[in-house]
Amino acid sequence: GNGEDAEEPEAPEVEADEELAAMVPDEFREAEEFVVGVNAEYPPGEFLDDDQETIVGFNVDLFDAVADKLDLDVRWENAPFDNIIIGVDSGEYDAGVSSFTINEDRLEQVNMVSYFTVGTQWFTRSGNPDDVDPDNACGLNIAVETATVQVEDLEARSEECVEAGEEEISIEEFPSQENANETVVSGVNHAGLADMPVVAYAVELTDGQLETLGEQYEAAPYGAVVHEDQDELAEAIRAGYEAIIEDGVYDEVLDEWDVTEGAITEPQVNPDLDE
Amino acid sequence: MTDAGGTVGTADGPPPEEIRAIPVRHPGRWLAALVCMVLAAQFVHMLLTNPAFQWDFMFDNMFTEPVLIGVRTTLLLTVLAMLIGIVLGILAAVMRLSGNPVLATLAWLYTWVFRAVPRLVLAVLFGNIAILYGTIEFGIPFDHYWMPLLGLEGEARIFGIETRTYLRGFTAGLLALALSEGAYMAEIVRAGLQSVDRGQTEAAQALGLRRSTILRRITLPQALRVIIPPTGNETVAMLKDTALVAYVPVTTELFFQLNNIGARTFNLFPMLVAACLWYLAITSLFMIGQYFLERSFHQGERGTTVPTN
Amino acid sequence: MTDAGGTVGTADGPPPEEIRAIPVRHPGRWLAALVCMVLAAQFVHMLLTNPAFQWDFMFDNMFTEPVLIGVRTTLLLTVLAMLIGIVLGILAAVMRLSGNPVLATLAWLYTWVFRAVPRLVLAVLFGNIAILYGTIEFGIPFDHYWMPLLGLEGEARIFGIETRTYLRGFTAGLLALALSEGAYMAEIVRAGLQSVDRGQTEAAQALGLRRSTILRRITLPQALRVIIPPTGNETVAMLKDTALVAYVPVTTELFFQLNNIGARTFNLFPMLVAACLWYLAITSLFMIGQYFLERSFHQGERGTTVPTN
Amino acid sequence: MPVAHGHPEATPSSENMVVAERVYKRFGRLPVLQGIDLRVRRGEVMCVMGPSGSGKSTFLRCVNHLEKINAGRLWVDGQLMGYRQKGGKLYELHDREVAAQRRNIGMVFQNFNLFPHMSVLGNVVEAPLQARGRRGGTRSQIQQHALELLDRVGLANKARAYPRQLSGGQQQRVAIARALAMNPALMLFDEPTSALDPELVGDVLDVMRDLASEGMTMIVVTHEVGFAREVADSFVFMDEGVVVESGAPREVLGNPQHERTRSFLSKVL
Amino acid sequence: MPVAHGHPEATPSSENMVVAERVYKRFGRLPVLQGIDLRVRRGEVMCVMGPSGSGKSTFLRCVNHLEKINAGRLWVDGQLMGYRQKGGKLYELHDREVAAQRRNIGMVFQNFNLFPHMSVLGNVVEAPLQARGRRGGTRSQIQQHALELLDRVGLANKARAYPRQLSGGQQQRVAIARALAMNPALMLFDEPTSALDPELVGDVLDVMRDLASEGMTMIVVTHEVGFAREVADSFVFMDEGVVVESGAPREVLGNPQHERTRSFLSKVL
Ligand SMILES: Nc1ncnc2c1ncn2[C@@H]1O[C@H](COP(=O)(O)OP(=O)(O)OP(=O)(O)O)[C@@H](O)[C@H]1O
Ligand SMILES: Nc1ncnc2c1ncn2[C@@H]1O[C@H](COP(=O)(O)OP(=O)(O)OP(=O)(O)O)[C@@H](O)[C@H]1O
Ligand SMILES: [Mg+2]
Ligand SMILES: [Mg+2]
């Protein structure tokens, strides 16, 4: 975390746990540093601090705590979203932590350790000038970041619209969340939807240009990504999350970032999503 | 010396045998070529054996319907943006060289601004034009200022286009790309026109051809020789820059579609390779077109090659 | 007719007054210029009054230290990538025109592949080269195949470079951009060389200059006239394409830095404008350089302008 | 032949094809034409000689307004070249009008300037085809005429060739055919035979002689003394941008009055 | 002068500067040289005439290997041009060696081909400066020599000008100075005076006469009959790629034996 700046919460101090550290495969324990890929453009999950260098966010603080437990020296490497998965694949990164939602397709490619859940939240311009109703968005232009769970959500809703004989939803997919937000602010699109913490943060920071719409719904887990061959490492990270949940560091972090709604009690490696 | 005439003769009989000389050996060249070829072979070998490529996954996904639609959109955007861009470029280049200071300055400003602004930003801007202007209105400008001065009320606008309705999606993306391309083409066309010998213009003038005819019939066709190769570059670059319309957003676009499959499945690398293969295929198409264009415009030209001896 | 000689005379006395004719009026041109200028004025007015721009916020953030470092990285990458690209381009163009089929094919392959592959993909690839090769090794190729055949064990490799250690960050990004640029420059240089009259090469050959000297002293300098403007284009495009090294990743880069501020503060738009302003400033710098370069190479040339009458 | 001095108010009489009145031309600071006074009657063939750099080419280029003169007046066929005079003021002519004036004047350049991207026939028909709207004539009539012209210069069999496939001499002959294709009233030749093979010079001079007898007015910059003596109606010797001496060719060539003319001719003859 | 017929085994004797043996040259299917046999002795000035397209330029270009001949042999200064003969086989020479051979031969082109991006002085010093490593001479010596050459062609005051600032005549004189700058043993002139003003032709011919008296061997394609008669040691008339007639200039020019020669000369003289 960042020392001086008062705005962002401070990461708590965590002691290494030798038993957990022993679970980490030798190649990582002996390496000088543990490189984690992150796309720091998704506040409050992960983003760049004012100094444009330090990467902060609740996902970051959580994993930092885990790494401390495992006695790993983390180096965060900021990279475009797409690049993180490739980096994990190629061994460029030892892990990827960047608000990755777990889904079936992804589990086929990598190991993912669940540690948080997020719901989907709708938002629109302040005062809802277009009278958007999330449950009846037929015919509207809705902005969303590409390759997120929200895209699938919207596709389902759009199909319902068509079945009900109404106009389909115009799904406007953007390469990044900030581009999507921008079009809602400008009024080009009627509303948007994203992970709850992201929306909450956006509403707060856009000085009342945006407002949330309805309640969050349909929680999905976030997962830390490791290479598909690294089952042991995944297990160690899972144990690390479990340990910080037990000693309260986990709640402390979520509390400071004001995202306690997403807390879970039982981190899992490659969780069964149908449960 | 004056008494020493030359000895000359006229040949008769069948001509002597043809000269078939053994060419100069360039071992360095051959070595370099060999190294390059081995590298290429190793690369291909790696492609085929490296598990990271997941050829099955790639082929399963690179011909799905959304991807094919993406290919169509990309091709359409490339061709249209280039066509509009070339027209804009010729216009700007002619203005720049016209000798008329106002026109030249305008053309220069256009080139300056639209080359400097990244296409990504243009795409974002044109996708969010509503952030700048809610509607694009036609009428007498600055009415908010001068109407009150004249004691008039209301607005001096004749009709407006709701930008949110019309300037979005494909149109907005196309406009962004074409305007940007026009600025680049302006420089290329300018260089082309400047490469034509002034004697050509003078001869045409002396024949009583008009300025526009000279441009169309004499200078531009000769400039094409110089214009075509960099325009080929621009086309190939545009092919890939169409990916930026994702920021408008236009999502029925090749790269976006492939990337999306990759991001959804966390299997990005094979999809990037798929993108490369598609681009290679389309680029090859363009290069064939360029080859025939160049050949037809080299007709009658006295080109140069690097001397071979 | 033979008896009708002409009447001629030699002037004396002071010369008559200078001709100061009233130029042709082009009302259409002026109207167009006016419309453009009004549009520009409206645009500037909008810039200044539209709240979306948040000029204060922009100026506060566009000169912070990380952004300035970003400017330096971007400039450095642009200049280095262009320099390497130009050298590669000249090499490839000369190979292409050499008449040697092996060299020509190699050069053509390079141009074909590296123009088609998007820079983004190259950046990803070079940033993740480990996905292809864990180490880059020097030795006798395909040892896994032929060594067993000869009954040998082990590997015929002399030394290796751990790619993950050396080929990363700035170097990897630079290499990706430079290799891509080389392919584009190859086409530009080729067009330039082809635009030089063959008589020039012949005259130089007749003087006993060697092939390399002719290229360096005669054809290339004359080709520059045609090469410089599209190279200016390439430089300006490269300036913005350096943003792609974010995929390597190199994060001390201008666009990435500005974009990040925008993402953090949910205030993207002013940061995009800031990017445009920075790019405009740097582009202007390049354009000044280009102006002087062009001027120095037009020396002694008989260029063309579009006829002004 | 009387030498006419400064007559600023004179109007071009209808018997003159070209009237130059005190024509001055500078390139930057370099004065090239320093007051040329000169008249060419209809049907007259005028030969111009002079040392290199004396401004012969520049004068021809001024006649068809390829160069704008700095002072003086230049009429061709009764029209002020490039300008319209109205109430003591000069107005530049529109591109369209200048082009129309030039169509009346054929010009053959020292260095050919053929269009390299067009066939020989293409070079010759280009201008007539472009002006077709105004002059009439079908495409095939124009081509027919062009082929006749090519035949006249001995190149009918090269109609489909491209300029670069021709020798220098052949190229110049195409240039002459091209200039004749618009049936101009005045022909300007800038050393038309200097790149021709001696064998073919005669043919070209024959063509020019024919033209003269058909009533074509011509200004010919040439160093072919023989041609000047036989064909020219008048002869002009230029040096350093002024007309040094002029008159009937036989008189000037046979008995030059000026020292400069004498020394020049002594080297040429 | 005896006419030498097909002698495939002959070796170039040291008294000959140029020996051409049954030289054939085609462009694609077009035969341009059809068996040229020809010897030029050291210090000899050979004039070549012939109608347009007869292959005069092509022959000169073959002599310095700008064109590769299709059959026959060509020696200059005892060296086979462009090839090395070893054991009945021909090997192409390396670029470096061909360049060295060419440095011994100066060539002046029909259309100048000056380097437009270099000043006049730059054009003249380019080749000597590039070859400096081999021949020695400081930069200032080379410049001095170049200025002397420019003086010889009457252009010392134009050393700093660029080619486009010169008239055609001036450009050709620079081209001659440039070719002389390497002190070649053989000079090839391709209609060197055809673009020159008559006034200056004399000066250039003087230079060439000087060269001849200094022992320079020259092949001059020209239509200057006067020059051929006065300066040439031998005269060759070419047509359709063969040598039609050759001998002492006065003999051939005064009393041509062949019909083609006669008809050509009747037009030139
Ligand atoms: N475009 C130009 N810019 C500057 N100077 C020029 C230009 N055109 C010609 N000159 C100069 O004007 C002078 C006259 O040139 P011009 O070509 O008219 O001479 P000329 O009598 O035709 O000579 P030549 O017999 O060599 O063709 C020369 O000194 C030449 O250098
Ligand atoms: N590079 C080439 N490709 C094809 N044909 C050519 C080429 N160069 C010359 N020719 C042809 O070869 C023939 C001889 O040309 P060359 O230039 O040697 O003639 P020349 O005797 O010098 O004529 P001129 O007096 O017109 O210069 C001509 O018919 C010409 O068209
Ligand atoms: Mg002239
Ligand atoms: Mg010739």
Side-chain angles (χ1 to χ4, degrees):
Chain A
N2 55 326
E4 284 90 14
D5 205 305
E7 266 181 46
E8 274 96 24
E10 248 176 72
E13 293 292 318
V14 179
E15 292 285 312
D17 181 325
E18 282 188 17
E19 211 174 298
L20 291 176
M23 294 173 72
V24 178
D26 289 348
E27 53 177 303
F28 299 105
R29 252 191 316 166
E30 284 157 14
E32 239 168 67
E33 50 188 16
F34 189 81
V35 184
V36 183
V38 60
N39 175 225
E41 295 180 16
Y42 209 59
E46 52 274 323
F47 58 103
L48 282 186
D49 202 355
D50 287 345
D51 66 357
Q52 291 281 327
E53 262 178 285
T54 323
I55 295 162
V56 295
F58 72 85
N59 287 319
V60 177
D61 285 352
L62 286 179
F63 194 84
D64 272 336
V66 170
D68 286 344
K69 283 275 182 217
L70 301 181
D71 198 19
L72 292 172
D73 214 352
V74 173
R75 181 163 62 80
W76 292 93
E77 190 148 310
N78 195 358
F81 194 80
D82 301 338
N83 219 20
I84 299 169
I85 301 305
I86 293 177
V88 170
D89 258 354
S90 72
E92 194 73 14
Y93 305 134
D94 300 316
V97 176
S98 198
S99 300
F100 290 120
T101 310
I102 302 177
N103 73 20
E104 291 289 358
D105 284 335
R106 292 173 174 180
L107 289 178
E108 277 178 26
Q109 300 297 325
V110 290
N111 281 314
M112 296 187 85
V113 183
S114 66
Y115 62 88
F116 190 74
T117 64
V118 285
T120 295
Q121 175 69 56
W122 286 61
F123 62 99
T124 185
R125 265 194 293 178
S126 292
N128 195 2
D130 298 312
D131 275 329
V132 180
D133 174 8
D135 293 326
N136 184 16
C138 304
L140 297 183
N141 304 321
I142 309 297
V144 66
E145 184 178 351
T146 187
T148 55
V149 284
Q150 283 82 20
V151 177
E152 291 158 39
D153 181 358
L154 276 178
E155 280 168 355
R157 283 168 189 267
S158 183
E159 240 167 69
E160 279 172 30
C161 286
V162 175
E163 276 166 24
E166 296 202 49
E167 239 182 288
E168 58 178 10
I169 297 175
S170 169
I171 305 169
E172 304 290 336
E173 289 183 61
F174 286 88
S176 76
Q177 186 62 44
E178 71 261 21
N179 287 109
N181 294 345
E182 201 64 53
T183 62
V184 176
V185 172
S186 73
V188 168
N189 292 317
H190 297 101
L193 63 168
D195 294 348
M196 170 59 196
V198 177
V199 172
Y201 200 78
V203 168
E204 191 186 319
L205 279 193
T206 49
D207 283 335
Q209 293 187 68
L210 293 176
E211 69 174 33
T212 58
L213 208 56
E215 295 297 317
Q216 63 163 313
Y217 59 90
E218 213 170 57
Y222 274 179
V225 177
V226 298
H227 196 276
E228 60 175 333
D229 298 339
Q230 300 292 350
D231 296 335
E232 282 176 50
L233 177 62
E235 190 52 38
I237 290 172
R238 190 202 62 75
Y241 276 117
E242 203 170 51
I244 60 169
I245 290 172
E246 273 167 20
D247 68 12
V249 170
Y250 182 80
D251 286 333
E252 211 178 306
V253 170
L254 296 193
D255 208 36
E256 279 176 24
W257 286 99
D258 203 15
V259 289
T260 46
E261 304 96 324
I264 62 166
T265 50
E266 226 179 284
Q268 283 179 289
V269 175
N270 301 336
D272 190 348
L273 294 173
D274 296 334
E275 262 174 25
Chain B
M1 216 164 292
T2 44
D3 61 349
T7 315
V8 289
T10 308
D12 54 10
E17 62 172 334
E18 290 275 302
I19 291 182
R20 296 197 200 291
I22 290 120
V24 182
R25 293 189 200 292
H26 296 281
R29 251 189 228 170
W30 283 99
L31 203 74
L34 201 76
V35 167
C36 287
M37 277 187 299
V38 166
L39 283 179
Q42 283 188 315
F43 185 75
V44 170
H45 174 254
M46 181 275 300
L47 284 187
L48 296 176
T49 58
N50 191 314
F53 284 96
Q54 306 195 39
W55 293 102
D56 297 348
F57 177 81
M58 198 189 82
F59 283 117
D60 281 351
N61 284 285
M62 78 181 276
F63 300 107
T64 57
E65 207 198 317
V67 175
L68 293 179
I69 293 177
V71 171
R72 202 186 55 190
T73 309
T74 294
L75 265 175
L76 205 64
L77 265 175
T78 308
V79 171
L80 289 180
M82 284 309 298
L83 285 181
I84 304 177
I86 288 171
V87 171
L88 285 175
I90 293 176
L91 216 74
V94 171
M95 280 166 71
R96 182 87 180 272
L97 297 175
S98 69
N100 177 317
V102 180
L103 294 182
T105 308
L106 273 173
W108 183 86
L109 272 177
Y110 167 66
T111 317
W112 181 54
V113 172
F114 277 84
R115 287 205 310 171
V117 176
R119 286 180 177 172
L120 187 149
V121 173
L122 278 179
V124 172
L125 251 179
F126 276 77
N128 294 280
I129 198 90
I131 215 172
L132 305 181
Y133 308 97
T135 51
I136 291 180
E137 293 169 314
F138 296 85
I140 307 172
F142 292 111
D143 49 356
H144 281 303
Y145 293 92
W146 60 261
M147 300 271 293
L149 289 180
L150 299 178
L152 294 171
E153 259 179 52
E155 298 181 328
R157 295 171 194 193
I158 297 157
F159 68 98
I161 296 173
E162 178 86 34
T163 52
R164 189 163 134 175
T165 321
Y166 293 98
L167 200 69
R168 57 182 301 149
F170 190 87
T171 321
L174 177 60
L175 214 63
L177 292 177
L179 277 174
S180 167
E181 188 55 48
Y184 286 94
M185 284 307 303
E187 284 289 282
I188 292 174
V189 174
R190 181 172 69 88
L193 289 177
Q194 283 179 330
S195 78
V196 180
D197 189 85
R198 202 171 60 197
Q200 291 291 314
T201 306
E202 285 177 356
Q205 284 178 300
L207 284 174
L209 299 186
R210 297 192 48 189
R211 216 171 340 194
S212 51
T213 314
I214 296 175
L215 185 73
R216 191 165 45 80
R217 300 279 307 163
I218 310 298
T219 34
L220 256 188
Q222 290 185 64
L224 278 179
R225 204 170 41 103
V226 165
I227 290 175
I228 289 173
T231 305
N233 270 353
E234 290 295 316
T235 311
V236 171
M238 176 59 79
L239 173 65
K240 293 167 293 166
D241 280 352
T242 53
L244 294 173
V245 295
Y247 287 85
V248 170
V250 177
T251 48
T252 59
E253 186 275 330
L254 178 63
F255 194 78
F256 184 87
Q257 291 293 339
L258 291 170
N259 204 51
N260 216 348
I261 297 172
R264 207 168 39 222
T265 58
F266 271 11
N267 212 351
L268 252 166
F269 199 70
M271 289 297 98
L272 290 184
V273 176
C276 291
L277 291 181
W278 270 115
Y279 284 136
L280 260 180
I282 303 177
T283 302
S284 311
L285 216 77
F286 288 157
M287 280 169 91
I288 293 171
Q290 182 180 342
Y291 172 78
F292 282 105
L293 256 182
E294 273 187 40
R295 218 181 48 170
S296 78
F297 281 106
H298 269 282
Q299 226 176 17
E301 286 285 329
R302 199 177 141 90
T304 197
T305 54
V306 170
T308 49
N309 230 336
Chain C
M1 213 164 295
T2 44
D3 60 350
T7 315
V8 289
T10 308
D12 53 10
E17 63 173 332
E18 289 274 303
I19 291 182
R20 296 198 199 290
I22 290 121
V24 182
R25 293 188 201 292
H26 296 281
R29 250 188 228 171
W30 282 100
L31 203 73
L34 201 77
V35 167
C36 287
M37 277 188 299
V38 166
L39 283 179
Q42 282 187 315
F43 184 76
V44 170
H45 174 253
M46 183 273 300
L47 285 186
L48 296 176
T49 59
N50 193 310
F53 284 98
Q54 306 193 40
W55 294 101
D56 297 350
F57 175 80
M58 199 189 81
F59 284 117
D60 281 352
N61 283 286
M62 76 181 276
F63 299 107
T64 58
E65 205 197 318
V67 174
L68 293 180
I69 293 177
V71 171
R72 201 187 56 190
T73 309
T74 293
L75 264 176
L76 205 65
L77 266 175
T78 307
V79 171
L80 289 180
M82 284 309 299
L83 286 181
I84 304 177
I86 288 171
V87 171
L88 284 175
I90 292 176
L91 216 74
V94 171
M95 280 165 71
R96 182 87 181 272
L97 297 175
S98 69
N100 178 317
V102 180
L103 294 182
T105 308
L106 274 174
W108 183 86
L109 272 177
Y110 167 66
T111 317
W112 181 55
V113 172
F114 277 84
R115 286 204 311 170
V117 176
R119 286 180 178 172
L120 186 149
V121 174
L122 279 179
V124 171
L125 256 177
F126 276 80
N128 296 278
I129 198 87
I131 211 171
L132 304 181
Y133 308 98
T135 51
I136 292 180
E137 293 169 314
F138 296 85
I140 308 172
F142 294 110
D143 49 357
H144 280 303
Y145 293 92
W146 61 260
M147 300 270 294
L149 288 180
L150 299 179
L152 296 171
E153 258 177 53
E155 297 182 329
R157 296 174 192 190
I158 298 157
F159 68 97
I161 296 173
E162 180 84 36
T163 51
R164 194 166 143 179
T165 321
Y166 292 98
L167 199 69
R168 58 184 305 149
F170 190 88
T171 320
L174 177 60
L175 213 64
L177 292 177
L179 277 174
S180 167
E181 188 55 47
Y184 286 93
M185 284 307 303
E187 284 289 283
I188 292 174
V189 174
R190 180 173 68 88
L193 290 177
Q194 283 179 330
S195 79
V196 180
D197 189 87
R198 202 170 60 198
Q200 292 291 313
T201 306
E202 286 176 357
Q205 284 179 298
L207 285 173
L209 298 186
R210 296 192 48 189
R211 217 170 342 192
S212 52
T213 313
I214 295 175
L215 185 73
R216 191 165 45 80
R217 299 280 306 164
I218 309 298
T219 34
L220 256 188
Q222 290 184 63
L224 279 179
R225 202 169 43 102
V226 164
I227 290 175
I228 289 173
T231 305
N233 270 353
E234 291 295 315
T235 311
V236 171
M238 177 58 79
L239 172 66
K240 293 167 293 166
D241 280 353
T242 53
L244 293 172
V245 296
Y247 285 85
V248 169
V250 177
T251 48
T252 60
E253 185 275 329
L254 177 63
F255 194 79
F256 184 86
Q257 293 292 339
L258 290 170
N259 204 51
N260 247 316
I261 298 175
R264 184 181 70 236
T265 56
F266 286 99
N267 219 348
L268 189 65
F269 203 71
M271 288 298 99
L272 290 183
V273 176
C276 291
L277 291 182
W278 269 116
Y279 285 137
L280 260 180
I282 303 176
T283 303
S284 310
L285 216 76
F286 288 157
M287 281 169 90
I288 293 170
Q290 182 180 343
Y291 172 79
F292 283 106
L293 256 182
E294 274 188 39
R295 219 181 50 169
S296 78
F297 280 106
H298 269 281
Q299 225 177 19
E301 286 285 329
R302 199 177 141 91
T304 197
T305 54
V306 169
T308 49
N309 230 337
Chain D
M1 214 72 19
V3 172
H5 283 278
H7 39 108
E9 294 309 314
T11 50
S13 71
S14 66
E15 68 164 3
N16 289 321
M17 179 60 83
V18 181
V19 177
E21 270 184 20
R22 309 187 73 196
V23 170
Y24 282 77
K25 173 70 193 170
R26 290 188 306 274
F27 285 112
R29 293 248 184 83
L30 180 78
V32 174
L33 299 183
Q34 306 202 62
I36 302 282
D37 267 319
L38 189 144
R39 295 178 171 225
V40 185
R41 316 245 298 252
R42 283 181 194 284
E44 177 178 332
V45 176
M46 177 182 275
C47 275
V48 181
M49 278 189 202
S52 180
S54 56
K56 308 179 295 294
S57 299
T58 304
F59 177 69
L60 286 194
R61 293 160 56 79
C62 287
V63 168
N64 72 354
H65 203 56
L66 281 180
E67 303 284 359
K68 289 185 181 167
I69 59 180
N70 294 106
R73 292 287 184 278
L74 236 166
W75 287 269
V76 174
D77 211 0
Q79 294 190 326
L80 192 60
M81 281 306 291
Y83 302 99
R84 189 196 331 275
Q85 192 150 16
K86 228 159 85 181
K89 276 191 178 153
L90 282 183
Y91 294 83
E92 285 184 3
L93 289 185
H94 192 276
D95 170 45
R96 168 172 19 89
E97 299 162 312
V98 177
Q101 288 186 332
R102 286 191 187 126
R103 249 175 266 128
N104 212 21
I105 308 172
M107 179 151 184
V108 176
F109 291 84
Q110 214 163 6
N111 49 347
F112 327 157
N113 287 337
L114 291 184
F115 304 135
H117 59 303
M118 295 178 178
S119 68
V120 164
L121 186 63
N123 268 277
V124 180
V125 298
E126 181 62 22
L129 278 185
Q130 291 299 334
R132 188 156 48 142
R134 290 169 210 97
R135 306 227 164 180
T138 64
R139 174 178 284 268
S140 71
Q141 281 173 334
I142 289 171
Q143 288 205 344
Q144 200 46 51
H145 183 220
L147 288 171
E148 284 165 26
L149 285 171
L150 285 174
D151 198 28
R152 210 146 126 182
V153 296
L155 285 172
N157 59 334
K158 293 280 186 186
R160 300 281 156 207
Y162 280 87
R164 66 151 182 144
Q165 297 165 330
L166 305 179
S167 66
Q170 296 170 323
Q171 289 192 41
Q172 185 61 301
R173 285 184 278 153
V174 175
I176 293 173
R178 180 176 70 172
L180 291 173
M182 290 298 286
N183 297 319
L186 168 68
M187 284 285 288
L188 310 175
F189 292 88
D190 193 352
E191 310 197 17
T193 56
S194 69
L196 294 184
D197 291 281
E199 204 187 6
L200 295 163
V201 168
D203 300 351
V204 175
L205 294 183
D206 284 348
V207 172
M208 291 167 70
R209 221 174 263 121
D210 282 1
L211 282 174
S213 69
E214 287 165 19
M216 177 70 79
T217 320
M218 304 196 266
I219 306 181
V220 186
V221 174
T222 185
H223 296 112
E224 296 283 338
V225 177
F227 177 80
R229 216 190 297 264
E230 288 168 43
V231 179
D233 303 306
S234 60
F235 181 91
V236 169
F237 179 73
M238 275 178 74
D239 195 12
E240 297 190 345
V242 296
V243 172
V244 174
E245 194 163 355
S246 64
R250 272 163 211 285
E251 287 171 26
V252 182
L253 288 168
N255 181 21
Q257 300 298 312
H258 277 261
E259 180 48 42
R260 273 189 287 177
T261 320
R262 252 197 301 275
S263 84
F264 179 84
L265 289 176
S266 73
K267 288 175 185 164
V268 173
L269 293 172
Chain E
M1 213 71 21
V3 171
H5 284 278
H7 39 110
E9 295 310 314
T11 49
S13 71
S14 66
E15 68 165 0
N16 289 320
M17 178 61 83
V18 180
V19 177
E21 270 183 20
R22 309 186 73 196
V23 170
Y24 283 77
K25 173 70 192 169
R26 289 187 308 273
F27 286 113
R29 293 248 184 83
L30 180 79
V32 174
L33 300 182
Q34 306 202 63
I36 302 282
D37 266 320
L38 189 145
R39 291 175 174 228
V40 184
R41 317 246 295 256
R42 282 180 196 284
E44 177 178 332
V45 176
M46 177 181 276
C47 274
V48 182
M49 277 189 203
S52 178
S54 56
K56 307 178 296 294
S57 299
T58 304
F59 177 69
L60 286 195
R61 293 160 55 80
C62 287
V63 168
N64 72 353
H65 204 56
L66 280 180
E67 303 285 357
K68 289 184 181 168
I69 60 180
N70 293 107
R73 292 287 184 279
L74 237 167
W75 287 269
V76 174
D77 211 0
Q79 294 190 326
L80 192 60
M81 280 307 290
Y83 301 100
R84 189 194 335 273
Q85 191 151 16
K86 227 160 84 182
K89 275 191 179 154
L90 283 184
Y91 294 83
E92 286 184 3
L93 289 185
H94 193 277
D95 171 45
R96 169 172 19 89
E97 298 162 311
V98 176
Q101 289 187 332
R102 288 193 186 124
R103 248 175 267 128
N104 211 20
I105 308 172
M107 179 153 185
V108 176
F109 291 85
Q110 214 163 6
N111 50 345
F112 326 156
N113 286 338
L114 291 184
F115 304 135
H117 59 302
M118 295 178 178
S119 69
V120 164
L121 186 63
N123 267 276
V124 180
V125 297
E126 181 61 22
L129 278 185
Q130 291 300 333
R132 188 155 48 143
R134 292 168 207 98
R135 307 227 163 179
T138 64
R139 174 178 284 268
S140 70
Q141 281 173 334
I142 289 171
Q143 289 205 342
Q144 200 47 51
H145 182 219
L147 287 170
E148 284 165 24
L149 285 171
L150 285 173
D151 198 28
R152 209 145 125 181
V153 296
L155 286 171
N157 59 333
K158 293 280 185 185
R160 299 282 157 206
Y162 280 87
R164 65 150 182 142
Q165 297 165 330
L166 304 180
S167 67
Q170 296 170 322
Q171 288 192 41
Q172 186 60 302
R173 286 184 277 154
V174 176
I176 294 174
R178 179 176 71 173
L180 291 174
M182 289 298 286
N183 297 319
L186 169 68
M187 283 286 288
L188 310 175
F189 292 89
D190 193 352
E191 310 197 18
T193 57
S194 68
L196 294 184
D197 291 279
E199 203 186 8
L200 295 164
V201 169
D203 300 351
V204 176
L205 295 183
D206 283 349
V207 173
M208 291 166 71
R209 219 174 264 121
D210 282 0
L211 282 173
S213 69
E214 287 165 19
M216 177 70 78
T217 319
M218 304 197 265
I219 307 182
V220 185
V221 174
T222 185
H223 295 112
E224 297 283 337
V225 177
F227 176 80
R229 214 189 299 263
E230 288 167 44
V231 179
D233 303 306
S234 60
F235 180 89
V236 169
F237 179 72
M238 275 178 74
D239 194 13
E240 298 189 345
V242 297
V243 173
V244 174
E245 193 164 354
S246 64
R250 274 165 209 285
E251 288 171 25
V252 182
L253 288 169
N255 182 20
Q257 300 298 313
H258 277 261
E259 180 48 42
R260 273 188 286 176
T261 321
R262 253 198 299 275
S263 85
F264 179 84
L265 289 177
S266 73
K267 289 176 184 163
V268 174
L269 292 172

